[in-house]
Amino acid sequence: MKIVTIIGARPQIIKAAALSRAIKNSFSDKIEEVIVHTGQHYDQNMSQVFIEELGIPEPKYNLNIGSSSHGVQTARMIEGVEKILLDEKPDYLVLYGDTNSTLAGAIAAAKIHVSIAHIEAGLRSFNKSMPEEINRIMCDHASTLLFSPTQTGFQNLINEGFNADNKKPYSADHPGIFHCGDVMYDNSLFFKTLAAQQSKVLEEHNLMGKDFVLATIHRDSNTDVPERLTAIFEALLEISETEKMEIVLPLHPRTAKLMEVNLLDDVYRQVIISKWLKLIPPVSFLDMILLESHCKLVITDSGGVQKEAFFFKKPAIILRSETEWKEIVEAGCGMIANADKAMILKGWQLFKKAGNTLSYPDIFGDGNAAEFICQTMLDSCFR
Ligand code: UD1
Ligand code: UDP
């Protein structure tokens, strides 16, 4: 069986590591994988660092699309992916998540009848002002195999009319849906020992033996709206200064570019001179999971980071008005604070009081989601 895998944005590159590893370890004689990088993310520390560190095969193609408006970026990707699919003639196009690279792959493949396997299917925020919500709905409804990481995602698909009883042969009109666990959980389990052995991030940032908070911010709904970005940074300043605790913030390039423009002047000045806010460039995955496993708490608008906080048993204050990972909130380990300063401070107090009393149920599978996905793709192709 031949698959073409699309990567483009940072989290997709990381997720792809799990499938490539499963293919290398268990399916190398049965599955040929061709990796296509759309070039949506291109800075060394947003892309190549992960390919090298996580042992992902070098992409055979890089479309070098880069940054642009949604329409231009997606359209250029569709054109590039279509050409590759016509040349490579894969059995499946494998797509991850909900970025513009995902959508472009889905449109290109569906129109020329290449079957799509969508990993992270069924997730919904029920907020169509998010570009990701549009991307994931459109991708799911063009897919042949849909792999949902959670029971909620699986149920969302059923609610949208997908039939859990469909049997092979599958097609876009007769898709197969599966609840299989999360490839990001596979990765966190696999890489945590390596991170503890290899990452020097705690030493580099003078965090050894210290309590600290880890924060990430990159959603357009936060970075592009001055009032929201300002409220978030005001809360970070207040928590770090009151508690005399460092907040480490690996800055997504989008946020780095927009902070000076969109923060109130006074807040921007305070952020820059603060001795408690540590603004650092994006870190590698091994560094990130070491930070996640050693911090007190996570404050984030990232989908992946809120889940990894849960994997490493850390509470998360979620800087969004909703989450696709509602199990984390239901378990009491995540709190939706939106970009509301008072709510973020309330979340801090709540989790400070909870201390180590929170429990983190098994929600994301058994660490073998990638193997299941490979086997299911194979089974669907052959008797
Ligand atoms: C994208 C995804 C989002 C995902 C995020 C992961 C879409 C619509 N959004 O958002 O779902 O959570 O990736 O990180 O696909 N930039 C750089 N260097 C890079 C990449 C980006 O400087 O290597 C800057 C550019 O100014 C660019 C901006 O970041 O315009 C946004 O990049 P883009 O890929 O369009 O969206 P993200 O915000 O990264
Ligand atoms: N990540 C990383 N370095 C960083 C920030 C994030 O390796 O500096 C990883 C993080 O551990 C997770 C993924 O990137 O695996 C999440 O990506 P991001 O937050 O960019 O996007 P989202 O998950 O929200 O789509």
Side-chain angles (χ1 to χ4, degrees):
M1 183 177 79
K2 182 176 187 179
I3 61 173
V4 167
T5 296
I6 301 285
I7 57 174
R10 168 171 66 188
Q12 294 166 327
I13 306 172
I14 297 170
K15 286 165 201 169
L19 208 74
S20 297
R21 189 170 62 249
I23 293 171
K24 185 168 156 220
N25 292 342
S26 313
F27 299 93
S28 58
D29 55 339
K30 300 188 185 78
I31 301 179
E32 178 194 354
E33 182 182 35
V34 172
I35 297 183
V36 178
H37 195 326
T38 62
Q40 178 170 349
H41 286 176
Y42 44 86
D43 291 348
Q44 209 277 342
N45 59 15
M46 293 294 287
S47 172
Q48 191 59 26
V49 66
F50 303 108
I51 293 174
E52 288 165 14
E53 181 178 68
L54 307 183
I56 301 163
E58 274 299 324
K60 180 169 173 187
Y61 303 90
N62 191 326
L63 299 173
N64 289 310
I65 302 296
S67 307
S68 208
S69 68
H70 287 286
V72 169
Q73 187 183 52
T74 310
R76 288 185 181 148
M77 288 178 192
I78 294 173
E79 188 182 6
V81 173
E82 183 184 62
K83 280 199 191 94
I84 293 168
L85 293 177
L86 290 169
D87 286 348
E88 294 284 347
K89 302 183 180 47
D91 295 289
Y92 279 105
L93 177 69
V94 175
L95 297 172
Y96 290 94
D98 52 23
T99 71
N100 287 347
S101 298
T102 316
L103 175 64
I107 294 175
K111 296 288 178 72
I112 54 172
H113 311 144
V114 172
S115 300
I116 297 166
H118 186 206
I119 300 180
E120 275 200 354
L123 299 174
R124 298 289 181 266
S125 63
F126 302 101
N127 172 1
K128 288 202 182 109
S129 69
M130 286 181 79
E132 294 84 356
E133 183 77 348
I134 308 296
N135 293 346
R136 53 172 89 105
I137 292 173
M138 294 179 72
C139 181
D140 278 344
H141 286 266
S143 293
T144 290
L145 298 180
L146 295 91
F147 295 103
S148 180
T150 58
Q151 184 58 41
T152 304
F154 187 72
Q155 188 58 47
N156 287 338
L157 292 174
I158 293 170
N159 296 348
E160 285 176 21
F162 287 89
N163 186 346
D165 297 326
N166 281 358
K167 300 277 178 278
K168 68 177 187 177
Y170 300 114
S171 68
D173 287 321
H174 184 73
I177 63 171
F178 306 90
H179 172 205
C180 66
D182 196 324
V183 292
M184 289 190 75
Y185 185 52
D186 298 10
N187 273 338
S188 293
L189 290 181
F190 183 81
F191 287 111
K192 72 177 179 193
T193 316
L194 211 59
Q197 289 164 351
Q198 293 187 3
S199 170
K200 298 278 170 276
V201 71
L202 300 177
E203 289 92 327
E204 276 163 20
H205 296 289
N206 196 21
L207 294 165
M208 290 292 279
K210 286 188 186 167
D211 284 342
F212 67 92
V213 169
L214 176 66
T216 76
I217 305 159
H218 77 276
R219 292 274 152 213
D220 60 353
S221 56
N222 289 328
T223 58
D224 300 13
V225 183
E227 304 73 42
R228 292 177 62 93
L229 196 64
T230 299
I232 292 169
F233 272 95
E234 281 177 344
L236 297 184
L237 283 167
E238 186 158 331
I239 292 169
S240 62
E241 279 163 20
T242 316
E243 301 288 337
K244 309 228 169 312
M245 191 184 290
E246 277 165 298
I247 298 187
V248 181
L249 186 49
L251 270 189
H252 190 289
R254 175 182 204 112
T255 319
K257 284 174 189 160
L258 287 167
M259 270 174 60
E260 190 170 0
V261 185
N262 282 341
L263 281 181
L264 278 184
D265 288 351
D266 184 41
V267 174
Y268 180 69
R269 258 195 309 279
Q270 288 182 54
V271 168
I272 294 305
I273 60 168
S274 167
K275 73 181 262 218
W276 299 108
L277 279 195
K278 236 184 201 352
L279 306 186
I280 63 175
V283 297
S284 77
F285 184 64
L286 295 187
D287 286 353
M288 191 64 182
I289 59 178
L290 203 70
L291 290 170
E292 288 164 344
S293 54
H294 281 75
C295 68
K296 291 287 290 176
L297 171 140
V298 169
I299 303 179
T300 190
D301 59 11
S302 158
V305 177
Q306 63 183 273
K307 261 189 304 172
E308 286 163 358
F310 187 89
F311 301 158
F312 293 109
K313 302 192 179 347
K314 305 296 158 127
I317 298 175
I318 301 165
L319 304 172
R320 302 233 336 249
S321 54
E322 74 285 306
T323 177
E324 302 78 21
W325 309 102
K326 66 178 200 169
E327 291 90 342
I328 295 178
V329 177
E330 284 166 1
C333 306
M335 187 225 182
I336 302 278
N338 208 346
D340 180 327
K341 181 179 170 189
M343 288 295 286
I344 299 169
L345 298 177
K346 192 169 157 201
W348 169 259
Q349 291 303 334
L350 180 87
F351 289 129
K352 188 173 156 187
K353 207 157 139 211
N356 294 327
T357 62
L358 302 174
S359 60
Y360 296 80
D362 287 338
I363 297 166
F364 294 99
D366 59 3
N368 294 308
E371 277 76 10
F372 177 90
I373 291 166
C374 289
Q375 191 60 56
T376 307
M377 285 193 293
L378 275 171
D379 291 347
S380 73
C381 278
F382 306 104
R383 289 190 177 272

